[in-house]
Amino acid sequence: MTEMERMGAAAKAASYELAVAGAAKKNRALSEIAEALKERSADILAANAEDMEKARAGGMSKSLQDRLKLSTARIDGMVEGVLQVAALEDPVGSMIKMTTRPNGLIIGKRRVPLGVIGIIYEARPNVTVDAAVLCLKSGNAVILRGGSDAAKSNAVLTRVMREAVEKAGLPADCICSVSDTSRKSAVELMGLTEYLDVLIPRGGAGLIKSVTENSKVPVIETGVGNCHVYVDCDADLQMGAEIIYNAKCSRPSVCNAAETLLVSRAVAWDFLPMAKMLLDKDNVELRGCPITREILGDCVIPATHEDYYTEFLDYILAVKVVNDAEEAIRFINKHSSGHSEAIVTNNYFTAQKFLNEVDSAAVYVNASTRFTDGSEFGLGAEIGISTQKMHARGPMGLEELTSSKFVIYGEGQIR
Amino acid sequence: MTEMERMGAAAKAASYELAVAGAAKKNRALSEIAEALKERSADILAANAEDMEKARAGGMSKSLQDRLKLSTARIDGMVEGVLQVAALEDPVGSMIKMTTRPNGLIIGKRRVPLGVIGIIYEARPNVTVDAAVLCLKSGNAVILRGGSDAAKSNAVLTRVMREAVEKAGLPADCICSVSDTSRKSAVELMGLTEYLDVLIPRGGAGLIKSVTENSKVPVIETGVGNCHVYVDCDADLQMGAEIIYNAKCSRPSVCNAAETLLVSRAVAWDFLPMAKMLLDKDNVELRGCPITREILGDCVIPATHEDYYTEFLDYILAVKVVNDAEEAIRFINKHSSGHSEAIVTNNYFTAQKFLNEVDSAAVYVNASTRFTDGSEFGLGAEIGISTQKMHARGPMGLEELTSSKFVIYGEGQIR
């Protein structure tokens, strides 16, 4: 048995105990975790300082350093997050449906935990706590495999959480952490079919593609967002300009930010200058089709084929003028990563057509794509945003971390 | 573009049309298919005769020949199945939930088709029709990749169905079929991530393991059933004997048949001879632990470690005496494929414990495992029985062939 298999077996054993633990015990573990994170914040900050020193020495970019860095305020934020998860309703054990068959069998479909969830993620140490507590609340054991940059921070955070879980009378192995942050450990995790029920990658497009394509364990694909806003010929143009400005600029580094603006040819001459006025406030770089350049001039960089497939995560926006909603829908279904798309229109039938025909996790009429988020959707916390169609699609809350099983009450029936 | 990619792109394009086609049009296509199968039955039987001739020449086993063979009665059965699927409720388009958020956004979660489903299967030509019509009714385009043994039968069946679909005004590419039955085409299908949303293998354990481990497309694992019956110390022993006899012998070749009998030590001396009396009627070969052999004698073959992991699909039963329900549950969770397990007991608490702690798709009290089946569970037809926890678990009907998307109605909201 390898080290990883031993960890898998331990997590599996813990998962059976956790699956039947009940909400009261799980919530006690969450309070203990919140308490322990506060009490041990000095240790956590010290470990994080070591990670930060190494990061600076290694020349890590400022924005990545910012994601890695912890502070008292950020630890407070983590604690707040843990308490919010504790306050959510426990999805485990509810009966999704129950019927009595003609032969008298009573067949119920009961919500149960998935079992053991693996999470592969990158630099942000807050994911360690977020992911662990969402898994715990939904009755799943977790195996965390963070990135090397946050290794010291993650080690302390995991140790603190494991002790807290044990204090609440649950097995420490409900929360396991892989200390080896090499590619080898990721590959081992992707092959741990005997113990892992699901693997969730959280991070950049490269990580997600690698896990999706190489994992033997079932994967939930998350997070890549090449989102579109389409401004229709029947749009309120001022609303359209405000929506694309918000979707692009309110937080360009996140997956629900817009990357491409599509505009109906009929309103392009009126709309594009209005949109540009707002986008200029944040110096957004525009990469446009020939008509866009004809309208807005040479300040617009010619868009390449590749630009329309790119999640810029930056103050860059691809722009294309299209004939109509039909062409916009076809363009989106071809280029999108299937995350979030919006239409701006006053036309009822065009709105319905867009909602019906765009094949993405979240499809909006007259609102910014930035709302695709677990708490904005009212799910409480989220473990990620699924861009695949199997199991879960869109923001994933506690329910999406569960499976079901059929429980059948008989009186001796045979077939 | 390879041949397979061209097929993927065609199926994807068809899937968009099918997704918004509505129940009336889909049902018309199903009636056309039923009609065409009847009308063209001579062609279908002729093609099947060619497959059968090749099978006999190649020395195919009698039982496999039986699965491959079509007859007028079997075609009637197919037609009946198509009409039954037409009569089922269309799951597509229903709103799973809908809420209005404090900011006025109306957020609905709508059931939508998965998109394009790939099915890799083996010798049975009836799967060609079953799978195609279930996918069609649930709004999904399908790419069928059957085995070489049924190549001629499948080719005619697919042609007939494609023509019928077109006659109903839907694109023929709603039903695609891969004529190359080599391993190469299976590998290509497993890598068709751009076009395939889900891949479902139907067949033996070897096929399923190979697809699960090698596919880059998300997979739903189906069908391997190493099912257990546990006869508790508090069981009605006569009921226990009848249940294990039914679970083992009513149809040993199917996945919901029992493969292992566990018996509480306290009742083993009384129960095992009773069970054996029934099992002897069908000459079931017993492979038992030392205590089983002590009780029943040398007619019981010593069970190997491997026997307890094996899906015999035959008149063979592994037997083990255990101390109590606790040990039975641990044994099942270790050895089972997670399909169906039953306890026979009159004890309320033991029954509840078994239902809670056994980690399988279907868990029974006082009934035969043979009931795990879409129509027995009231789901109508089924495309397979999922033994994984993601997306679907247990018998998969039309609903399990759908995904969801969030549709959001705004009035200009920005974040």
Side-chain angles (χ1 to χ4, degrees):
Chain A
M1 238 187 184
T2 65
E3 194 58 42
M4 187 66 84
E5 285 168 340
R6 252 191 298 275
M7 184 178 282
K12 193 74 173 176
S15 80
Y16 289 136
E17 210 168 312
L18 184 56
V20 295
K25 202 165 195 177
K26 290 187 288 189
N27 286 340
R28 209 190 123 203
L30 293 174
S31 326
E32 294 285 356
I33 288 175
E35 204 58 47
L37 288 172
K38 270 188 285 185
E39 272 172 23
R40 302 280 296 277
S41 56
D43 296 354
I44 296 166
L45 292 174
N48 185 250
E50 287 186 61
D51 284 333
M52 287 299 293
E53 198 173 339
K54 191 174 145 231
R56 274 187 295 261
M60 182 186 276
S61 76
K62 287 280 171 208
S63 73
L64 275 182
Q65 280 190 38
D66 180 59
R67 303 178 103 180
L68 177 58
K69 191 174 167 55
L70 292 178
S71 61
T72 307
R74 284 192 173 176
I75 292 177
D76 288 350
M78 280 181 186
V79 170
E80 189 50 41
V82 176
L83 296 174
Q84 277 169 11
V85 170
L88 295 174
E89 205 184 328
D90 184 352
V92 171
S94 66
M95 209 60 104
I96 300 164
K97 53 187 166 189
M98 195 157 193
T99 50
T100 302
R101 299 293 303 156
N103 61 6
L105 281 181
I106 300 171
I107 301 184
K109 189 175 184 182
R110 181 197 283 182
R111 205 178 280 290
V112 298
L114 283 163
V116 182
I117 298 178
I119 319 254
I120 298 186
Y121 55 107
E122 291 175 336
R124 288 158 56 191
N126 63 314
V127 173
T128 306
V129 176
D130 273 10
V133 301
L134 283 165
C135 290
L136 186 72
K137 177 80 188 209
S138 52
N140 297 289
V142 68
I143 299 182
L144 299 160
R145 196 280 197 181
S148 57
D149 295 325
K152 303 263 182 198
S153 313
N154 289 341
V156 174
L157 287 168
T158 313
R159 199 175 331 123
V160 166
M161 289 193 290
R162 283 171 61 92
E163 286 166 16
V165 165
E166 219 162 17
K167 211 165 148 189
L170 285 167
D173 288 327
C174 291
I175 301 175
C176 296
S177 174
V178 180
S179 54
D180 172 9
T181 56
S182 71
R183 173 155 172 78
K184 177 167 164 281
S185 72
V187 170
E188 284 182 333
L189 208 52
M190 290 189 258
L192 207 62
T193 49
E194 199 179 340
Y195 303 111
L196 266 192
D197 293 287
V198 179
L199 189 57
I200 304 177
R202 282 187 61 169
L207 170 73
I208 288 163
K209 191 170 152 62
S210 156
V211 173
T212 309
E213 300 209 335
N214 296 306
S215 180
K216 297 182 179 182
V217 176
V219 168
I220 301 180
E221 200 175 335
T222 65
V224 177
N226 177 13
C227 305
H228 296 71
V229 171
Y230 166 60
V231 176
D232 186 47
C233 60
D234 294 324
D236 173 330
L237 299 188
Q238 186 56 36
M239 184 192 284
E242 278 160 24
I243 284 175
I244 185 60
Y245 177 56
N246 179 265
K248 177 72 262 181
C249 297
S250 58
R251 207 172 161 200
S253 64
V254 292
C255 59
N256 56 22
E259 307 292 2
T260 301
L261 168 65
L262 301 174
V263 187
S264 162
R265 186 184 296 266
V267 296
W269 268 262
D270 291 330
F271 176 71
L272 283 173
M274 287 169 68
K276 185 167 186 301
M277 207 149 71
L278 288 179
L279 294 164
D280 276 349
K281 293 207 282 182
D282 288 2
N283 296 314
V284 174
E285 175 183 313
L286 300 179
R287 303 189 184 175
C289 66
I291 307 178
T292 304
R293 298 189 72 225
E294 197 182 318
I295 298 170
L296 295 179
D298 287 349
C299 62
V300 176
I301 297 168
T304 63
H305 181 73
E306 204 47 48
D307 282 332
Y308 292 117
Y309 284 101
T310 303
E311 188 188 24
F312 299 111
L313 298 173
D314 204 345
Y315 291 95
I316 303 172
L317 183 67
V319 186
K320 188 176 163 66
V321 174
V322 295
N323 286 320
D324 51 18
E326 180 71 36
E327 187 185 341
I329 291 166
R330 266 184 287 122
F331 186 91
I332 291 170
N333 284 343
K334 179 162 183 205
H335 295 84
S336 171
S337 61
H339 193 295
S340 300
E341 333 290 346
I343 185 174
V344 184
T345 190
N346 291 343
N347 184 306
Y348 169 83
F349 287 102
T350 313
Q352 291 294 94
K353 183 181 170 71
F354 193 86
L355 289 177
N356 290 340
E357 297 182 16
V358 168
D359 186 23
S360 291
V363 190
Y364 294 82
V365 177
N366 295 332
S368 168
T369 55
R370 290 274 293 108
F371 289 105
T372 304
D373 170 283
S375 73
E376 291 293 331
F377 275 19
L379 309 176
E382 72 171 40
I383 196 139
I385 293 172
S386 164
T387 52
Q388 71 179 31
K389 294 190 186 169
M390 251 184 65
H391 187 73
R393 197 176 191 201
M396 292 187 289
L398 291 175
E399 243 179 44
E400 284 70 29
L401 293 178
T402 64
S403 177
S404 60
K405 77 176 169 195
F406 287 100
V407 296
I408 301 107
Y409 298 87
E411 305 159 305
Q413 283 88 341
I414 57 175
R415 187 176 174 192
Chain B
M1 237 188 185
T2 65
E3 194 59 41
M4 187 66 84
E5 284 167 341
R6 251 190 299 275
M7 185 177 284
K12 193 74 173 178
S15 79
Y16 289 136
E17 210 167 312
L18 184 55
V20 295
K25 201 164 195 177
K26 291 186 288 188
N27 286 341
R28 206 189 125 204
L30 294 173
S31 326
E32 294 286 357
I33 288 175
E35 206 56 48
L37 288 173
K38 268 187 287 186
E39 272 172 22
R40 302 281 295 278
S41 57
D43 296 353
I44 296 166
L45 291 174
N48 185 251
E50 286 186 61
D51 283 334
M52 287 299 294
E53 196 172 340
K54 192 175 145 229
R56 275 188 294 263
M60 183 188 275
S61 76
K62 286 279 172 210
S63 71
L64 276 181
Q65 281 190 37
D66 179 60
R67 303 178 105 182
L68 177 59
K69 190 174 167 54
L70 292 178
S71 61
T72 307
R74 283 192 176 176
I75 291 177
D76 289 349
M78 280 182 186
V79 170
E80 188 50 42
V82 176
L83 297 175
Q84 276 169 12
V85 170
L88 294 174
E89 205 185 330
D90 184 352
V92 171
S94 66
M95 210 57 107
I96 300 164
K97 53 187 166 188
M98 195 160 194
T99 51
T100 302
R101 300 292 304 154
N103 61 5
L105 282 181
I106 300 172
I107 301 184
K109 189 176 184 180
R110 181 196 283 181
R111 204 177 282 290
V112 298
L114 283 162
V116 183
I117 299 179
I119 318 251
I120 298 187
Y121 55 107
E122 291 173 337
R124 287 159 57 192
N126 63 315
V127 173
T128 306
V129 177
D130 273 10
V133 301
L134 283 165
C135 289
L136 187 73
K137 176 82 189 207
S138 53
N140 297 289
V142 69
I143 298 182
L144 299 161
R145 196 281 197 182
S148 56
D149 295 325
K152 304 261 182 202
S153 314
N154 289 342
V156 175
L157 288 169
T158 312
R159 197 172 335 121
V160 167
M161 289 193 290
R162 283 171 62 91
E163 286 166 15
V165 165
E166 220 162 16
K167 210 166 150 189
L170 285 168
D173 288 328
C174 292
I175 301 175
C176 296
S177 173
V178 180
S179 54
D180 170 9
T181 56
S182 71
R183 173 156 171 77
K184 177 166 163 284
S185 72
V187 170
E188 283 181 333
L189 208 52
M190 290 189 260
L192 208 62
T193 49
E194 200 180 338
Y195 303 110
L196 266 192
D197 293 288
V198 179
L199 190 57
I200 304 177
R202 281 186 64 168
L207 170 73
I208 288 163
K209 191 171 151 63
S210 156
V211 173
T212 310
E213 300 209 335
N214 296 309
S215 179
K216 295 181 180 182
V217 177
V219 168
I220 301 180
E221 200 175 335
T222 65
V224 177
N226 177 13
C227 305
H228 297 71
V229 172
Y230 166 60
V231 176
D232 185 48
C233 60
D234 295 323
D236 173 330
L237 299 187
Q238 186 56 36
M239 184 191 287
E242 279 159 24
I243 284 176
I244 185 60
Y245 177 56
N246 178 265
K248 177 72 263 181
C249 297
S250 58
R251 205 170 162 201
S253 65
V254 292
C255 60
N256 56 23
E259 306 293 0
T260 301
L261 169 65
L262 302 174
V263 187
S264 163
R265 185 184 297 267
V267 295
W269 269 261
D270 292 330
F271 175 72
L272 283 173
M274 288 169 66
K276 185 168 186 300
M277 208 147 72
L278 288 178
L279 294 165
D280 277 348
K281 293 206 283 182
D282 288 2
N283 297 316
V284 174
E285 175 183 312
L286 301 179
R287 303 190 185 175
C289 65
I291 306 178
T292 304
R293 300 188 71 225
E294 198 182 316
I295 298 169
L296 295 179
D298 287 348
C299 61
V300 176
I301 297 169
T304 64
H305 181 71
E306 205 46 48
D307 283 330
Y308 292 117
Y309 285 99
T310 303
E311 187 188 26
F312 299 111
L313 297 173
D314 203 345
Y315 291 94
I316 303 172
L317 182 67
V319 186
K320 188 177 163 65
V321 175
V322 294
N323 287 318
D324 51 18
E326 180 70 37
E327 188 185 341
I329 292 166
R330 265 184 286 122
F331 186 90
I332 291 170
N333 285 342
K334 179 164 182 204
H335 295 85
S336 171
S337 62
H339 193 296
S340 300
E341 333 289 346
I343 185 175
V344 184
T345 189
N346 292 343
N347 185 306
Y348 170 84
F349 287 101
T350 312
Q352 291 294 92
K353 183 182 170 71
F354 193 85
L355 289 177
N356 291 338
E357 298 182 15
V358 168
D359 186 23
S360 291
V363 190
Y364 293 81
V365 177
N366 295 332
S368 168
T369 55
R370 289 275 292 109
F371 289 104
T372 304
D373 171 282
S375 72
E376 291 293 332
F377 276 18
L379 310 177
E382 72 172 39
I383 195 138
I385 293 172
S386 162
T387 53
Q388 69 178 31
K389 295 190 187 170
M390 252 183 67
H391 187 74
R393 198 176 192 201
M396 291 187 290
L398 292 175
E399 243 179 45
E400 284 69 28
L401 293 177
T402 64
S403 177
S404 60
K405 77 175 168 193
F406 287 101
V407 297
I408 302 107
Y409 298 87
E411 304 158 306
Q413 283 88 341
I414 57 173
R415 187 174 172 194

